[in-house]
Amino acid sequence: MKTQKFHRYLCRLLATACLLLVGGTGIVRAQADVEFDIDAPLKAAEGQPFKIAFTVSTQKSDISDARFSLPDIGGLSVISGPVRSVGVFMSDVNGVSQTRNTVTYTYWVKAERTGKIDIPAATVTLGGETYKTRPTAIESLSAEQARQQSGSSGAGGGNASDAGFEPVGKTSLASDDILLRIEVDKTDVYRGEPVVASLRIYTQVNIAGFENIKYPALNGFWAQEMDLSGQGDSRATLGGKVYHTQILRQWLLYPQRTGTIEIEQAQFTAIAQLVTQMPATGSPYDLFYGGAPQIKNVSARLVSPVVKIRVKELPRPQPDDFTGAVGQFELTGVATGDRFAANTAGSITLRLSGTGNFPLVEAPRITLPAAFEQFDMKTNERLVNTARGTTGEKTFEYPFIARAEGDYTIPGVRFSYFDPSTGKYNTLTTPDFPIRILRDEGNGASGLGMVSGVTKEDLQMLGSDIRFIRMGDPRLVRQGGAFLWSWGWFASVFVLAAAFVGLLVYLQKSIRERADIVRVKTKKANKVALRRLKRAKGYMNAGKESAFFEELLRALWGYMGDKLAIDVANLTKERVLGELVGRRGMDEEQAREFLNLISECEFAQYSPAAGVPMDKAYNAALDLIGRFENKI
């Protein structure tokens, strides 16, 4: 009897540990040196005890004055706690040592009802400052639901509910354990109005990585990927269930045509890790090992539903100077001066700022007097993609040179845009630019013969009414000694004919080689792979891990597909291994080394903390492609 109780106690501890592994963490960093987080399970069985821990971490040496306040948790009853524990965490990364002091407040609680239970933000006061955790939630399951998700048998022959086992162990994936969704902030927009599309994953199990990734093509949109740095995972309720959720990719979309535009499906193969229990065998070893957790990898094919965006045409009539700008803008203009000497340079600068479809905005039109010589416009921009659209400013500089003296007025610039928030067109106008051109004191030093009162057209005529007599050797040919029908002429004809035949042979050979698509791709495989590795190295130097591993995977998969002449649809690890070892006679160890590198990069793309370092992956890819190039 005592052995059975002890056995159940061990099972409960192991199950709790597994639950915490898949539990969520909500962290608030109010300042750079203070972190306040909560550890809670994603699911729990009604009436069964489980643990919630609140941890304060700081670089300050004294954390003893921290004052913690537990929020009012409706639906949970506290069994015991808080148990206060203090610790010190030391790390050494790249030669930089860091010490953090922590204090943890642990509660044992149990759910009093089923369904979603919200845990409000907890507060702690440290050094006169107050910090809060993010609100989180757990899903409380009934005993029957817990048995269905945990398995029918627990350790020692008891069921999951009797053993106090939280529902974390599974033997198979349910259809709603992992969900892939494309979420948009708007479904009814005007053409050119920004739409933010987020590819989000919802999961109730651990994800080890992804395979066979296919992102939507985003046809019909001008798309730009948004920066996800600083966005971590969180919890969300979908269909009455609590999930861990994270944005995998996010795009800023500008519709380019009207009607209903579909955002195609995203397709992933997720590698889920299921935590199950080792079955009891009845042997004495069950006292220590029976019911121990086991991890099983299960593949799940994820497909996001199609998202439809209704795009409306911009209202008519449209202003004459409207060029497609949609958003909210401001326009200012300034000239470099109001007085210039003739033949000196000046410029007019327009500054367009605000939020909207900046990448698609055309430069405002400006009209200069005929006596002004206009040069190529210069454009500078400082733009940032946000949820409201592209925000920032564009500067347009129009350089010119005035050729004739006098008083001129450059008309103000008009710029019209459509504001989707009001559904109306707005027109911005700059003031006129009065400019006085003074006499050229250099007396035509520019060489254009500037004369007071002479227009630009007159100056152009001055340059063409008198021509110089041609100087130098006239290259006269003696009569009767023409080049035609001479030996030189025949030699030239022969050389040209030979060159034509050679070029024709070369072109025919080139056409035949280009028609052999497999051979062309095979010959260019190494060059294409090296070009992609160069882009990946740029991401590595910039510290962009996700973009680095994505480009590295493209280089590896693309090289092998081109080299082995395998279509993308049939490019799998098993097919590559069979081609390399079975048909190409490669060493199986080297082939598996290549495939293992691909698996490590796929894992690191979505789990950077546990993945292979970027420099190690880059060097390994470069080495393997070099070795394969000499053998395949």
Side-chain angles (χ1 to χ4, degrees):
M1 186 67 180
K2 291 182 179 181
T3 300
Q4 186 177 7
K5 289 183 178 180
F6 181 67
H7 187 77
R8 289 187 176 183
Y9 177 73
L10 285 178
C11 292
R12 184 173 301 182
L13 288 180
L14 291 172
T16 303
C18 295
L19 181 62
L20 292 177
L21 285 175
V22 299
T25 302
I27 302 176
V28 172
R29 300 186 180 185
Q31 293 180 359
D33 62 338
V34 177
E35 298 178 5
F36 187 29
D37 66 279
I38 173 176
D39 288 337
L42 194 64
K43 299 180 181 181
E46 179 187 10
Q48 299 301 321
F50 61 92
K51 183 173 67 173
I52 298 178
F54 300 87
T55 302
V56 185
S57 174
T58 179
Q59 295 181 359
K60 298 179 181 178
S61 58
D62 187 11
I63 200 173
S64 59
D65 61 342
R67 296 192 302 276
F68 172 76
S69 176
L70 180 69
D72 182 16
I73 308 175
L76 296 178
S77 61
V78 178
I79 300 175
S80 64
V83 176
R84 187 175 184 273
S85 58
V86 179
V88 178
F89 174 77
M90 292 179 290
S91 63
D92 189 345
V93 180
N94 296 329
V96 179
S97 299
Q98 187 181 47
T99 301
R100 300 189 69 87
N101 297 290
T102 63
V103 57
T104 302
Y105 303 88
T106 304
Y107 291 85
W108 281 94
V109 300
K110 65 179 180 179
E112 297 179 336
R113 57 177 175 82
T114 59
K116 177 187 174 185
I117 298 178
D118 294 317
I119 303 178
T123 60
V124 67
T125 303
L126 180 63
E129 298 287 340
T130 300
Y131 308 95
K132 294 183 178 181
T133 62
R134 288 199 304 264
T136 187
I138 65 171
E139 184 180 355
S140 176
L141 305 179
S142 64
E144 180 62 27
Q145 292 173 324
R147 278 192 295 270
Q148 292 176 358
Q149 296 199 19
S150 302
S152 59
S153 62
N159 59 39
S161 179
D162 295 338
F165 181 82
E166 286 91 352
V168 298
K170 290 191 174 187
T171 57
S172 61
L173 279 176
S175 59
D176 59 352
D177 281 344
I178 309 175
L179 301 176
L180 190 64
R181 296 288 186 268
I182 295 180
E183 301 173 350
V184 295
D185 61 340
K186 289 172 280 189
T187 57
D188 192 355
V189 296
Y190 288 99
R191 180 168 58 87
E193 183 178 356
V195 177
V196 177
S198 304
L199 180 61
R200 184 184 291 272
I201 189 170
Y202 295 85
T203 176
Q204 291 187 330
V205 295
N206 283 344
I207 301 296
F210 297 97
E211 294 180 343
N212 304 323
I213 299 173
K214 180 184 178 184
Y215 294 106
L218 303 176
N219 296 321
F221 296 96
W222 185 94
Q224 190 162 0
E225 190 170 349
M226 299 181 66
D227 185 14
L228 294 179
S229 58
Q231 293 193 26
D233 61 344
S234 59
R235 293 193 182 191
T237 303
L238 189 65
K241 293 187 175 183
V242 179
Y243 291 87
H244 283 301
T245 179
Q246 185 173 15
I247 297 177
L248 302 180
R249 277 202 174 182
Q250 194 171 60
W251 300 275
L252 182 62
L253 308 178
Y254 289 104
Q256 297 299 290
R257 56 181 173 85
T258 58
T260 300
I261 305 179
E262 293 186 351
I263 300 180
E264 300 175 357
Q265 296 174 328
Q267 299 180 17
F268 285 31
T269 297
I271 309 300
Q273 291 184 331
L274 302 185
V275 182
T276 61
Q277 285 183 308
M278 182 183 297
T281 62
S283 68
Y285 291 102
D286 286 346
L287 180 61
F288 303 99
Y289 303 107
Q294 291 180 313
I295 296 179
K296 180 176 68 172
N297 290 339
V298 178
S299 297
R301 187 63 176 166
L302 308 179
V303 179
S304 67
V306 173
V307 178
K308 296 183 178 181
I309 307 294
R310 178 175 173 265
V311 183
K312 299 175 290 187
E313 182 58 86
L314 298 177
R316 295 187 181 276
Q318 298 176 348
D320 294 337
D321 54 358
F322 176 72
T323 58
V326 178
Q328 295 85 34
F329 299 94
E330 294 181 358
L331 179 68
T332 58
V334 62
T336 52
D338 57 359
R339 289 171 178 262
F340 299 92
N343 295 319
T344 58
S347 66
I348 293 177
T349 302
L350 302 179
R351 178 177 174 271
L352 184 66
S353 60
T355 300
N357 59 342
F358 266 108
L360 307 177
V361 171
E362 298 180 8
R365 292 185 289 267
I366 188 170
T367 303
L368 294 177
F372 283 57
E373 184 175 355
Q374 184 173 343
F375 296 87
D376 292 339
M377 179 193 65
K378 302 177 182 178
T379 304
N380 292 312
E381 59 183 33
R382 292 185 299 174
L383 303 175
V384 178
N385 292 321
T386 68
R388 296 175 54 237
T390 305
T391 300
E393 66 177 30
K394 260 189 175 182
T395 303
F396 308 94
E397 183 180 1
Y398 302 83
F400 62 83
I401 293 180
R403 298 302 189 188
E405 67 177 87
D407 293 328
Y408 301 92
T409 298
I410 299 177
V413 178
R414 290 171 55 87
F415 176 81
S416 295
Y417 67 92
F418 178 74
D419 189 345
S421 62
T422 61
K424 297 180 180 179
Y425 292 96
N426 297 324
T427 300
L428 305 174
T429 307
T430 67
D432 294 342
F433 304 98
I435 294 178
R436 170 168 291 185
I437 305 302
L438 306 177
R439 180 186 298 272
D440 182 8
E441 299 298 336
N443 195 23
S446 63
L448 296 178
M450 172 61 66
V451 180
S452 175
V454 178
T455 65
K456 181 180 180 182
E457 290 74 17
D458 295 331
L459 289 175
Q460 291 174 346
M461 183 170 291
L462 283 175
S464 62
D465 57 351
I466 299 178
R467 304 269 183 195
F468 285 98
I469 299 175
R470 177 170 177 171
M471 309 294 290
D473 182 11
R475 297 183 181 178
L476 301 178
V477 180
R478 180 178 299 179
Q479 187 176 4
F483 178 71
L484 184 63
W485 307 117
S486 65
W487 287 107
W489 182 83
F490 282 108
S492 300
V493 171
F494 176 77
V495 171
L496 290 175
F500 175 77
V501 172
L503 180 62
L504 183 62
V505 172
Y506 171 77
L507 290 177
Q508 289 178 343
K509 180 181 178 183
S510 178
I511 291 173
R512 287 195 301 270
E513 290 180 351
R514 291 179 179 273
D516 189 353
I517 299 177
V518 174
R519 180 173 178 174
V520 172
K521 292 177 66 176
T522 301
K523 290 179 62 177
K524 294 185 177 181
N526 186 55
K527 184 183 296 185
V528 173
L530 291 178
R531 187 164 58 247
R532 287 172 173 166
L533 286 176
K534 184 178 180 181
R535 285 198 296 267
K537 186 176 181 181
Y539 291 131
M540 178 179 69
N541 294 334
K544 298 180 179 180
E545 289 193 24
S546 179
F548 166 77
F549 283 110
E550 181 180 348
E551 193 64 33
L552 192 63
L553 284 171
R554 287 180 181 175
L556 294 173
W557 277 119
Y559 173 79
M560 198 54 66
D562 292 343
K563 205 67 177 177
L564 300 179
I566 302 177
D567 294 336
V568 176
N570 300 322
L571 191 61
T572 63
K573 294 179 181 178
E574 294 77 10
R575 177 74 180 275
V576 170
L577 183 61
E579 286 283 339
L580 290 176
V581 179
R583 298 186 58 185
R584 303 299 177 102
M586 288 289 297
D587 183 42
E588 184 176 355
E589 182 178 354
Q590 287 190 359
R592 291 194 178 277
E593 183 180 356
F594 187 88
L595 298 178
N596 289 339
L597 177 59
I598 290 179
S599 299
E600 291 177 353
C601 292
E602 291 173 341
F603 180 77
Q605 186 179 7
Y606 299 97
S607 302
V612 63
M614 289 190 289
D615 56 346
K616 182 179 178 182
Y618 175 80
N619 293 330
L622 199 60
D623 178 62
L624 283 172
I625 289 177
R627 283 189 283 164
F628 275 84
E629 186 66 20
N630 296 328
K631 296 182 178 181
I632 298 180

